[in-house]
Amino acid sequence: MDPSRAFVRDVKRVIVKVGTAVVTRSDGRLAVGRLGSLVEQLQELNVQGYEVILVTSGAVGVGRQRLRYRKLLNSSFADLQKPQVELDGKACAAVGQSGLMALYDALFTQLDVASSQLLVTDNDFKDPEFRNQLSHTVNSLLALRVIPVFNENDAVSTRKAPYEDSSGIFWDNDSLAALLALELKADLLVLLSDVEGLYNGPPSDSKSELIDTYIKEKHDEQITFGDKSRVGRGGMQAKVKAAVCAATQIPVVITSGFTRDNILKVLEGKKVGTLFPTKGMLKEIVASNREISPRDMAVSARDCSRRLQSISSEERKKILLDIANALEANEAKIRAENEADVAAAQQAGYEKALVSRLTLKPGKIASLAKSIRVLANMDDPIGQILKRTEVADGLVLQKTSSPLGVLLIVFESRPDALVQIASLAIRSGNGLLLKGGKEAMRSNTILHKVITGAIPASVGEGLIGLVTSRDEIADLLKLDDVIDLVIPRGSNKLVSQIKASTKIPVLGHADGICHVYIDKSADMSMAKKIVLDAKIDYPAACNAMETLLVHRSLLKSGDIKDIIFELETKGVRIFGGPLASEELSLPKAESFHHEYSSMACTVEFVDDVHAAIDHIHRFGSAHTDCIVTSDDEVADIFLKQVDSAAVFHNASTRFSDGARFGLGAEVGISTGRIHARGPVGVEGLLTTRWILKGSGQVVNGDEGVVYTHKNLPL
C-alpha cells in the first residue's frame, strides 16, 4: 500500500462515477466489455462489505444511437438527401435510459447482485424534504446490499439541453457524483475517465507526466485542459472541478475506466490515477513526501541527540514515560496495523517462523510499555563518573559515560524490536535510524508515529528516523563520518551483507544456534523442564534451543526417550545427528549448523563434556549455551571453556534476554567480542569521555609538573 493512499483503510462507503466515454464505444454503441468489468469490480467490493453507489452517464449517447438507427430505417432515400436535424437530447435520454439500466440490471443479476435505479434532477436538491428522503432511501438500499445506480433525469430536466446548460446545483454527472458524495457522506469518490488520470500536459504527449496527487496551489496554474469529452458533457476539466469540490470533505481519485481492475486497485491503496486529497490529508502527504537525503536524516538524528543530552535526566525520563503511555493509548491502532501486516504475510506465503516474529501477541504492548517504564526508572546512564584521577596537584581527570552518537539498526520481521531499540536509544542519549522489514511496514510506521509523537519539539522528531526504502540503506552505510554504529538484527545473510558493505563498526549476531547439553549426572526432571522451555516457549527467538546434546551414557535411557517423546507431543519435529538418527530412528539432520527458528531441533549424543564443548565451538554461533548437570566440577569446565556470549548452568537459554537480565530492554544480542557482548542494553550503547579540570596548568615539556596519578573517590 502506498503511504499516500493509506486512507483507503478507513473507507466504507464509496461512490463510483462512470462517464459516457467509458460506457460507450467510439461508434456510440454500449461498450459491453468495459461495463462487464465495471460491474464485476463493484460486485467484488459489495462482497467485501463496502457500500457501493454507482453514478452513470451514457443514456443520451445510447438513446441517440438508437434513434438515429430508427430514423434511418423509416427514412426514404429523398429524406436522407435533406439536411439532417439534430435529434432532441431529452428524447435521446428517455430512450437511452431504459436500455442502459436494462443492461446494468442484466449484468448485476448474472453476479447475484441487486441494483436499483434513481433518477434525479438539479431542482430536486432544492427541496430539503427530498434530500432527507433520498438519504433515507439510499441507506435502506445499502443496508440490503443493493447497489443504487444514479443518473440525471435528462428527459425531464428543466435545463435547456443536456449538453448546453451548466446552471443549477449540479451541471453534469461528475458534479452530480460530487454532490451525492457530500450529501450521502461517502468516504471516497472515484471518477472514471478515458485516461489514467490528470496529466501535466496532453495525455497523448509522451513527455506528459501523470500527476499522482493534485495540489491546487501547485497544479492549478500549470494545467491546460483540452477539448471536452467526445460524447459526454464535461471531459477532464469537469472532473477536476467536481473533484476539487468534493475534496473539501472527502478524498477523490480520477482514474481510467479502461484499465482493468482500477477501482479495486484504488481500494487496495495502490498508486493509480490522480488523488485529490482533503486538506487534512494533504498536510500528511506533503510531510511524508518531503525529500530528505540519507545524510540529512543522519545529521538530523545527531543534532537531536545532542539536544536530548543537553536536557535534564528527569526530562529524558519523562519522554520515556510519555512513550509508554502513548503506546497503551494507541494499542487498538497498533494492533489493527499489525494484524494487517500479519494477514498480508500469510497471504504472501511467508514461513510460519517469520509470521510468528511479526505478530504482536495479546499483552505485548502492555509488556513493552512496562519494560520502558523499568528503563525510565533506572539510574541515568549519561554523564556517570566512572573514574577520578588526580593527575597532578590541582589537576583532576574524570572518565565519564557518554552516548555513542548515531545508531543505524536494520532489523527484520519483529516490530516489537523497534520499540525496544527506540527506548534504549533515548535512555542512552543516542540518535537513531531504523530500517525494518517490508513485511512489518504498517506496524513499524504506526509505532514510529506514536513514539516520535511523544518526543518534545525541544528535542525534535528527527531523533528517531524511519528508513522506508531499501535503496537508502546502501547510502546510509557509506556515512561513516555521521553514523557511529550499525546493529543488524536478522538473518546470517543480512548481517554478512552489511559487514561487507560498510566501514562503520557493526555489532550483532548472525545466527542463534543455541545448545542444551544434558550431562550424565543431570537431574532428568530438571533437564526435561529446561529442554521443553528452551525449545517451545518461543521457537522463533534467537535464544531458543536448536540442538540438544546428550551424554553418550544416556543413549538407552528411558528419560531421554521421554524428553524426545514430550517434544514430539508438543509438535516439535526431531532430527538426529549421525549417532542419534541411527540409534533412535530419527530423520537425519542436514547440518548441525542450522537455526530452525521454528518447532524443530536436532538431537545428538556426545562422549562427555569436552566433546560437547568441541561440538558447540564447531557448530554453534557463540550465542547462548547451557549445561544441565549436578556435577559442579563438570559445570565449571563448561562455564569456563564454552566461548559464547552467554553460558548457563541449569537454566533455560530463553533467559538470554536484555529485559530478563534487568537491562530494561535490548537492541540485540552481540556474539562479537569488541565493545559489547551478549544482550546489549543501555551500557552497550555508551562509550566514554575524559574530562580534565585544572587551574591554569601547562605541559611546557613537563618542566615543573609533578605527576601524582592518584585514584580519587567517585
Side-chain angles (χ1 to χ4, degrees):
M1 179 176 292
D2 187 87
S4 67
R5 306 296 175 93
F7 68 89
V8 298
R9 297 191 191 115
D10 300 320
V11 170
K12 175 69 174 176
R13 180 172 293 185
V14 57
I15 293 182
V16 177
K17 186 270 174 179
V18 56
T20 306
V22 177
V23 170
T24 61
R25 305 187 309 188
S26 57
D27 61 1
R29 294 177 182 273
L30 284 169
V32 179
R34 281 198 295 273
L35 282 175
S37 175
L38 167 71
V39 168
E40 285 179 351
Q41 292 179 76
L42 299 185
Q43 182 262 353
E44 177 65 26
L45 295 180
N46 187 267
V47 169
Q48 291 179 21
Y50 289 96
E51 296 179 347
V52 183
I53 299 169
L54 176 64
V55 179
T56 183
S57 298
V60 175
V62 172
R64 179 175 287 116
Q65 194 274 337
R66 285 190 175 187
L67 289 178
R68 281 177 178 169
Y69 178 70
R70 299 309 306 172
K71 185 177 179 182
L72 178 64
L73 290 179
N74 295 321
S75 298
S76 64
F77 181 76
D79 291 334
L80 295 175
Q81 304 307 308
K82 299 175 184 177
Q84 299 299 303
V85 178
E86 183 60 38
L87 294 169
D88 176 49
K90 296 185 182 300
C92 293
V95 171
Q97 182 63 36
S98 60
L100 182 64
M101 277 309 303
L103 180 58
Y104 274 125
D105 185 63
L107 291 172
F108 278 121
T109 300
Q110 286 295 315
L111 297 174
D112 198 26
V113 175
S115 61
S116 62
Q117 175 180 261
L118 293 116
L119 299 177
V120 296
T121 67
D122 59 334
N123 281 330
D124 293 332
F125 286 89
K126 296 175 183 178
D127 182 354
E129 290 187 11
F130 167 82
R131 296 166 73 165
N132 289 335
Q133 184 57 52
L134 177 69
S135 179
H136 176 76
T137 300
V138 170
N139 288 337
S140 297
L141 291 170
L142 294 174
L144 295 168
R145 317 304 301 166
V146 176
I147 295 180
V149 181
F150 278 89
N151 195 359
E152 181 180 4
N153 194 354
D154 290 320
V156 296
S157 172
T158 56
R159 257 196 274 271
K160 296 175 184 176
Y163 295 129
E164 295 175 10
D165 184 5
S166 60
S167 62
I169 293 177
F170 64 86
W171 50 93
D172 57 18
N173 276 344
D174 291 314
S175 57
L176 170 60
L179 175 62
L180 289 170
L182 299 174
E183 193 77 23
L184 301 174
K185 296 179 173 55
D187 301 309
L188 173 65
L189 170 60
V190 180
L191 300 175
L192 297 181
S193 176
D194 54 357
V195 291
E196 290 299 328
L198 183 61
Y199 287 80
N200 61 2
S204 57
D205 188 340
S206 60
K207 296 180 181 179
S208 297
E209 295 180 351
L210 180 68
I211 299 170
D212 55 70
T213 303
Y214 178 85
I215 303 172
K216 192 174 190 297
E217 294 75 12
K218 178 180 178 180
H219 298 116
D220 202 33
E221 301 298 325
Q222 298 179 3
I223 299 169
T224 302
F225 294 102
D227 296 334
K228 65 181 183 180
S229 170
R230 61 175 170 81
V231 284
R233 199 175 310 176
M236 186 57 74
Q237 187 170 10
K239 286 177 175 55
V240 171
K241 188 175 180 181
V244 170
C245 176
T248 56
Q249 296 183 36
I250 65 165
V252 182
V253 174
I254 297 178
T255 189
S256 174
F258 285 67
T259 304
R260 187 169 182 82
D261 293 340
N262 254 6
I263 303 173
L264 297 178
K265 291 174 184 176
V266 168
L267 270 299
E268 289 168 359
K270 294 182 179 176
K271 206 169 189 178
V272 296
T274 301
L275 169 65
F276 289 71
T278 62
K279 191 173 182 179
M281 290 169 51
L282 186 59
K283 290 180 181 178
E284 293 185 12
I285 292 171
V286 170
S288 64
N289 288 343
R290 191 178 294 129
E291 292 188 6
I292 176 170
S293 69
R295 174 170 287 277
D296 289 341
M297 189 182 294
V299 169
S300 176
R302 184 178 290 282
D303 291 342
C304 291
S305 72
R306 287 170 177 162
R307 291 200 290 272
L308 178 66
Q309 295 165 39
S310 69
I311 65 177
S312 69
S313 175
E314 282 301 311
E315 288 175 301
R316 285 193 293 272
K317 175 180 177 179
K318 185 178 184 303
I319 292 173
L320 287 171
L321 294 176
D322 287 345
I323 289 173
N325 293 337
L327 287 171
E328 290 177 333
N330 290 277
E331 180 173 1
K333 291 181 181 178
I334 294 168
R335 287 184 62 81
E337 295 299 282
N338 181 247
E339 286 168 3
D341 278 335
V342 171
Q346 290 172 333
Q347 189 174 5
Y350 283 110
E351 293 180 359
K352 288 183 178 180
L354 185 145
V355 175
S356 177
R357 290 194 296 270
L358 176 61
T359 306
L360 291 174
K361 295 179 175 62
K364 189 63 178 180
I365 298 299
S367 174
L368 289 170
K370 181 180 178 181
S371 68
I372 293 173
R373 292 189 179 103
V374 170
L375 195 61
N377 290 310
M378 291 171 66
D379 291 338
D380 191 344
I382 304 173
Q384 293 290 318
I385 299 173
L386 307 175
K387 184 178 182 181
R388 292 179 75 239
T389 304
E390 181 190 81
V391 177
D393 185 40
L395 193 62
V396 177
L397 179 66
Q398 294 179 349
K399 184 181 182 181
T400 64
S401 59
S402 173
L404 286 171
V406 177
L407 315 174
L408 170 60
I409 317 291
V410 183
F411 59 100
E412 297 176 339
S413 308
R414 290 181 56 183
D416 59 312
L418 184 150
V419 180
Q420 295 180 37
I421 295 164
S423 58
L424 282 168
I426 292 170
R427 197 69 181 108
S428 58
N430 288 292
L432 180 63
L433 302 176
L434 293 160
K435 174 63 178 77
K438 64 180 181 180
E439 65 280 354
M441 181 179 292
R442 291 171 176 167
S443 305
N444 291 338
T445 299
I446 186 65
L447 287 169
H448 177 259
K449 184 177 181 179
V450 169
I451 290 170
T452 55
I455 298 174
S458 58
V459 174
E461 292 184 356
L463 178 69
I464 302 174
L466 184 64
V467 181
T468 56
S469 169
R470 188 167 184 167
D471 296 336
E472 291 175 305
I473 291 295
D475 293 330
L476 287 166
L477 291 174
K478 297 174 184 176
L479 302 179
D480 56 298
D481 60 326
V482 187
I483 297 173
D484 301 287
L485 182 67
V486 181
I487 304 178
R489 293 182 55 159
S491 65
N492 186 20
K493 182 179 179 183
L494 170 71
V495 177
S496 300
Q497 284 177 340
I498 287 177
K499 285 183 175 179
S501 306
T502 186
K503 296 178 182 178
I504 305 169
V506 178
L507 182 150
H509 72 271
D511 295 305
I513 304 174
C514 302
H515 298 75
V516 172
Y517 167 58
I518 301 178
D519 188 50
K520 64 181 180 180
S521 66
D523 178 325
M524 298 310 293
S525 175
M526 178 194 294
K528 179 179 180 180
K529 187 166 64 173
I530 289 173
V531 167
L532 290 175
D533 181 80
K535 180 70 260 181
I536 296 171
D537 182 62
Y538 187 10
C542 64
N543 57 14
M545 181 193 77
E546 303 294 6
T547 300
L548 173 61
L549 299 176
V550 183
H551 194 285
R552 192 181 187 114
S553 65
L554 300 174
L555 181 62
K556 303 298 183 181
S557 167
D559 291 321
I560 293 300
K561 292 180 181 178
D562 181 52
I563 289 173
I564 292 174
F565 175 76
E566 191 68 24
L567 285 169
E568 291 178 326
T569 301
K570 299 292 186 182
V572 179
R573 290 174 297 133
I574 310 292
F575 298 91
L579 183 56
S581 61
E582 181 179 342
E583 294 292 334
L584 302 178
S585 301
L586 296 172
K588 197 168 184 178
E590 292 184 8
S591 170
F592 282 125
H593 189 82
H594 180 69
E595 183 177 11
Y596 293 99
S597 296
S598 63
M599 291 284 277
C601 70
T602 301
V603 175
E604 183 57 316
F605 293 94
V606 292
D607 291 337
D608 54 20
V609 66
H610 298 288
I613 293 169
D614 290 342
H615 181 104
I616 290 169
H617 288 165
R618 183 178 179 186
F619 300 109
S621 60
H623 191 295
T624 302
D625 298 291
C626 158
I627 182 172
V628 184
T629 182
S630 298
D631 189 326
D632 290 341
E633 288 186 13
V634 171
D636 194 51
I637 292 170
F638 189 90
L639 295 175
K640 287 181 177 178
Q641 294 187 17
V642 171
D643 189 15
S644 295
V647 189
F648 298 167
H649 175 207
N650 291 346
S652 169
T653 57
R654 289 283 290 124
F655 280 106
S656 187
D657 174 84
R660 296 187 177 99
F661 277 15
L663 307 181
E666 66 181 34
V667 292
I669 296 179
S670 172
T671 54
R673 288 162 174 76
I674 296 175
H675 181 66
R677 197 175 187 194
V680 180
V682 170
E683 289 183 6
L685 302 180
L686 297 171
T687 183
T688 56
R689 293 196 307 155
W690 296 96
I691 296 175
L692 186 66
K693 295 181 179 181
S695 54
Q697 290 88 341
V698 294
V699 174
N700 192 28
D702 288 330
E703 185 177 336
V705 180
V706 179
Y707 291 100
T708 57
H709 294 148
K710 185 193 301 181
N711 289 331
L712 299 175
L714 299 179

